[in-house]
Amino acid sequence: QVQLVESAGGLVQPGGSLRLSCEVSGIPLRSGTMAWFRQAPGNDREFVAAFRRSDRYVSYADSVKGRFTISRDNVKNTMYLEMSSLKPEDSAVYYCAATSSRLIVSAMSAEPGYGYWGQGTQVTVSS
């Protein structure tokens, strides 16, 4: 059984930093593709970042490039999203997602490629 369990998000001031984690069971992080998505109230869920284990390919949404970093710990089977220089528009529910498939680059940023999802965790950026 595949499970993705996310850490708690939180309230952060603008310009602050926060790290989210996603502990994965049932899919080894040494294979497949994993990603983070987010959904703000009234908006569709959108892509944030993804990595493909086979060649360590990493992809970021333009809105977070240079501020967010996706990483993983294969020993702990955990994926992380390091967020810095946070802005109020980064406020959303963040979801981790996974698939055992090696997704092509164009599919890495699309929801249908991922068969497994975490429960979501709220991140609020506000003073």
Side-chain angles (χ1 to χ4, degrees):
Q1 183 179 359
V2 177
Q3 283 190 316
L4 282 67
V5 180
E6 300 174 25
S7 60
L11 173 63
V12 185
Q13 291 190 338
S17 300
L18 186 67
R19 186 178 79 164
L20 301 179
S21 65
C22 176
E23 185 175 355
V24 182
S25 58
I27 298 180
L29 284 184
R30 59 180 180 274
S31 64
T33 310
M34 296 194 67
W36 290 93
F37 289 77
R38 66 186 182 186
Q39 186 170 23
N43 291 352
D44 294 332
R45 191 153 55 183
E46 64 176 10
F47 170 73
V48 175
F51 77 83
R52 187 171 62 192
R53 181 61 184 94
S54 60
D55 57 357
R56 302 184 181 179
Y57 185 89
V58 178
S59 176
Y60 293 98
D62 288 342
S63 59
V64 306
K65 203 171 291 184
R67 300 188 298 121
F68 290 13
T69 302
I70 188 171
S71 63
R72 80 284 186 195
D73 183 328
N74 290 339
V75 174
K76 296 181 179 179
N77 227 37
T78 299
M79 178 175 67
Y80 302 97
L81 185 68
E82 299 269 3
M83 304 182 290
S84 62
S85 302
L86 283 162
K87 306 174 183 179
E89 52 263 43
D90 294 317
S91 297
V93 177
Y94 283 72
Y95 299 88
C96 59
T99 174
S100 58
S101 301
R102 180 187 182 279
L103 298 180
I104 61 174
V105 172
S106 60
M108 292 175 68
S109 58
E111 293 185 49
Y114 300 91
Y116 305 103
W117 292 82
Q119 78 279 9
T121 188
Q122 178 70 48
V123 173
T124 302
V125 184
S126 174
S127 56

